[in-house]
Amino acid sequence: MTQNRTIALVGRPNVGKSRLFNRLAKRRIAIVHDQAGVTRDVNSTVVDQDYTLLDTGGIGLVVDMDHQKLIGAAEEQVWFAVEAADFICFVVDGREGKTSLDEIIAERLRASGKPVQLIVNKVDGPDEEHRAIEFAELGLGDGVPVSAEHGRGEADVRQVIADYLGPKPIVDESGESEHRIPTAVVGRPNVGKSSLINKFLKNDRLIVSEVPGTTRDAISLDLDYMRDGGEVWPFKLIDTAGIRHRGKVSHSVEYFSAVRSRRAIEHAEIVLLVLDAEIGVTRADKALAGEVLEQGKCLVIVINKWDIAVKRFREHPVDGYESLHDFQKDFEESVRKEFFFLPASPIVFVSALTEMNLTILLSAARAVRRTATKQLPTPKINQLFERLLAARSAKMLKGKRFKVYYTTQTGNFPYIFRVFCNRATKLEEPYRRYLEKAFIKEFELNGCPIRFDLRGKTVRYPNQDKKR
Ligand code: GDP
């Protein structure tokens, strides 16, 4: 069984890849893509809610291709297919017969070691099946004869793909709510971390059980938060060593050293970064937040000691604010400004002292985790990327425009988007941030860090150097 479940169609122009793509996708034939300049680079679709099908036909295509350019495009197509898919269907034209370009593609495919199925298209009837024979010389085994135009052989192609993929893995969605969320509480000394944790531990709604630490340094506690109606929210609080049995919390400093919090972050999925409402955002807070994101973990900002602000506001209303709510909104805005580099993390106002909003805090942590575990639909990712590039094109690289063929999600914690492009490059920080912001907004990934993993091949045309 395979993880990736992505199939790519490769082959030279006009062999009928997009026809086959549309057949497998059960789409009406919209555009015939196998024409220079007509197509988008990579067409992708999800077939039978089971696997992703890619038509690589547009990669490297330009108008008026000469033979060298065709070779370059074919090479780039194969590179992409090998990187992006785990099974490749190599489509050839049975009418035209084997060409030198077919041989080049076949050679590259063989060298890649990826599983390949040869498909001989334009075999429209039984009397034409002999056309498949000569392609055996490509060294990729027997080809499946098909007619993408008429649907002949379609079932055979589906069978080949099904045989390769094996049964679809069952995703246990019911298990998600059972997941015990590894959560770390970090922050500078005296912001109220121990008070907060102790409040959790003493809360009647929480059932606490100590779990022997998985590492020498990180001791964790299982917390089950009981909701009205019997619902249970399971958490695993990381690195609470010593907190529980201490009557006093005055020595919390030693439990929250930088090294400890680094380790706690490492073992967590969700990190609650606690700030002191009286002090606001300090450089140390920003450094900690940066560390959390660097480690690819989700971040919730906790403004503790909000009781003090509430009390003060009630006693001496602050000029210019009609209500406490307005004041809080403004406070939140200023925190957000300081933390401009965060992935739109939730900001929760709490008081460990009065136990204000502790349920909301736990609920925010749960929401962020749900957000962090999504599998985003590839076509939507690609549509967004296309829109973003159109709205603000990335810098030219050595005279060539940065071009993206295809993007797909390859990871969670952090979200990783693999971006196949014409050049391997590093995104400049403002551009990366522009993309990140748009992704967070579009897919509502608040609190989740994002990485863009750029993959590009520098294609060398044989005559390229001479021309310079
Ligand atoms: P830690 O170093 O982050 O673990 O901070 P502590 O939990 O030891 O708290 C530092 C100080 O702030 C203690 O004197 C607490 O009593 C106080 N404190 C913690 N949380 C709150 C809160 O929500 N409101 C108020 N008013 N004081 C708090």
Side-chain angles (χ1 to χ4, degrees):
M1 210 192 306
T2 167
Q3 283 289 306
N4 183 358
R5 299 182 85 78
T6 300
I7 312 273
L9 303 178
V10 302
R12 25 180 216 91
N14 293 316
V15 297
K17 289 184 296 300
S18 3
R19 281 286 155 102
L20 187 60
F21 178 90
N22 286 331
R23 280 243 168 241
L24 293 172
K26 297 178 185 141
R27 276 190 193 167
R28 291 233 189 84
I29 292 156
I31 325 158
V32 178
H33 293 259
D34 275 10
Q35 264 173 39
V38 171
T39 174
R40 283 179 34 197
D41 299 305
V42 177
N43 242 324
S44 81
T45 187
V46 177
V47 178
D48 300 334
Q49 294 176 309
D50 183 14
Y51 64 90
T52 304
L53 181 67
L54 305 174
D55 175 6
T56 67
I59 289 184
L61 276 197
V62 288
V63 195
D64 300 330
M65 303 262 276
D66 61 23
H67 190 64
Q68 290 307 338
K69 280 189 180 145
L70 274 173
I71 293 175
E75 282 184 339
E76 205 154 353
Q77 224 184 73
V78 171
W79 158 77
F80 169 76
V82 166
E83 286 277 323
D86 47 1
F87 187 68
I88 294 167
C89 293
F90 172 27
V91 188
V92 293
D93 185 331
R95 275 217 186 124
E96 210 168 313
K98 183 164 63 68
T99 69
S100 61
L101 198 51
D102 290 336
E103 281 164 3
I104 291 170
I105 296 172
E107 187 200 311
R108 299 286 194 277
L109 287 172
R110 281 201 313 270
S112 78
K114 275 267 153 124
V116 176
Q117 175 63 54
L118 183 68
I119 295 176
V120 185
N121 190 29
K122 306 190 189 177
V123 178
D124 293 341
D127 52 330
E128 296 180 5
E129 281 188 4
H130 61 277
R131 288 182 169 156
I133 295 169
E134 66 175 297
F135 291 97
E137 288 166 24
L138 293 174
L140 290 165
D142 289 337
V144 182
V146 305
S147 165
E149 187 76 29
H150 302 111
R152 203 171 169 270
E154 183 188 327
D156 297 335
V157 175
R158 286 187 189 281
Q159 194 56 50
V160 165
I161 291 173
D163 288 347
Y164 176 75
L165 289 173
K168 190 180 175 186
I170 297 157
V171 180
D172 181 13
E173 284 176 1
S174 64
E176 210 223 315
S177 60
E178 293 296 305
H179 178 82
R180 194 171 280 290
I181 305 171
T183 308
V185 180
V186 304
R188 291 179 307 102
N190 286 317
V191 294
K193 296 178 298 298
S194 333
S195 307
L196 207 53
I197 289 169
N198 278 312
K199 274 287 148 66
F200 283 139
L201 304 187
K202 289 193 202 110
N203 192 305
D204 290 344
R205 287 173 176 269
L206 279 160
I207 300 168
V208 179
S209 48
E210 210 142 353
V211 183
T214 41
T215 72
R216 218 149 37 94
D217 306 295
I219 297 204
S220 59
L221 286 174
D222 283 357
L223 298 185
D224 287 313
Y225 187 66
M226 316 294 284
R227 300 274 291 149
D228 292 336
E231 196 191 343
V232 177
W233 294 352
F235 290 90
K236 184 194 282 295
L237 272 192
I238 292 168
D239 198 15
T240 52
I243 300 282
R244 198 183 171 202
H245 301 297
R246 296 180 74 86
K248 288 191 166 182
V249 290
S250 50
H251 294 295
S252 64
V253 177
E254 63 185 283
Y255 297 114
F256 291 109
S257 69
V259 177
R260 288 198 81 93
S261 55
R262 190 163 304 153
R263 278 208 196 106
I265 294 167
E266 208 176 292
H267 291 275
E269 284 177 357
I270 310 294
V271 179
L272 309 181
L273 173 58
V274 185
L275 310 190
D276 186 327
E278 285 206 287
I279 294 172
V281 184
T282 69
R283 270 172 65 182
D285 297 325
K286 289 186 194 171
L288 257 173
E291 176 127 10
V292 174
L293 299 181
E294 194 117 309
Q295 289 202 32
K297 305 307 169 83
C298 300
L299 184 58
V300 175
I301 302 291
V302 185
I303 313 288
N304 188 34
K305 308 193 190 179
W306 195 241
D307 58 294
I308 299 176
V310 172
K311 188 162 174 271
R312 233 179 252 159
F313 191 88
R314 296 229 161 102
E315 285 166 4
H316 309 283
V318 185
D319 277 350
Y321 295 102
E322 299 253 316
S323 65
L324 180 64
H325 178 78
D326 288 352
F327 178 67
Q328 182 172 326
K329 272 257 160 286
D330 235 32
F331 194 99
E332 180 177 336
E333 222 27 69
S334 68
V335 170
R336 229 175 250 299
K337 241 182 224 154
E338 292 284 339
F339 278 129
F340 66 93
F341 56 93
L342 295 195
S345 284
I347 298 177
V348 189
F349 291 80
V350 306
S351 164
L353 189 73
T354 66
E355 304 191 16
M356 174 184 127
N357 287 349
L358 297 194
T359 305
I360 289 177
L361 176 56
L362 293 181
S363 149
R366 280 169 59 83
V368 168
R369 184 176 189 279
R370 263 198 308 276
T371 301
T373 48
K374 289 195 274 199
Q375 187 66 43
L376 306 175
T378 306
K380 286 239 164 69
I381 296 172
N382 282 281
Q383 284 158 18
L384 175 63
F385 224 111
E386 210 172 316
R387 255 193 287 138
L388 294 173
L389 281 169
R392 183 170 156 183
S393 68
K395 234 178 58 171
M396 306 275 273
L397 292 152
K398 292 182 186 143
K400 280 206 160 195
R401 196 168 284 287
F402 176 62
K403 202 168 165 199
V404 172
Y405 300 141
Y406 177 72
T407 308
T408 185
Q409 182 191 341
T410 55
N412 298 79
F413 296 109
Y415 272 101
I416 301 173
F417 296 102
R418 184 166 295 171
V419 182
F420 294 97
C421 45
N422 58 339
R423 318 245 122 174
T425 180
K426 203 170 171 297
L427 288 174
E428 298 206 325
E429 191 50 25
Y431 201 79
R432 192 199 63 74
R433 210 167 271 158
Y434 159 72
L435 295 178
E436 180 184 79
K437 225 173 155 182
F439 266 71
I440 286 168
K441 185 151 182 256
E442 174 85 11
F443 296 113
E444 299 179 338
L445 305 181
N446 301 56
C448 306
I450 288 181
R451 305 255 195 287
F452 295 100
D453 170 21
L454 267 60
R455 301 289 173 99
K457 180 180 190 273
T458 312
V459 177
R460 300 204 136 263
Y461 301 117
N463 292 330
Q464 199 176 35
D465 291 330
K466 280 183 224 151
K467 277 186 201 148
R468 281 215 193 110

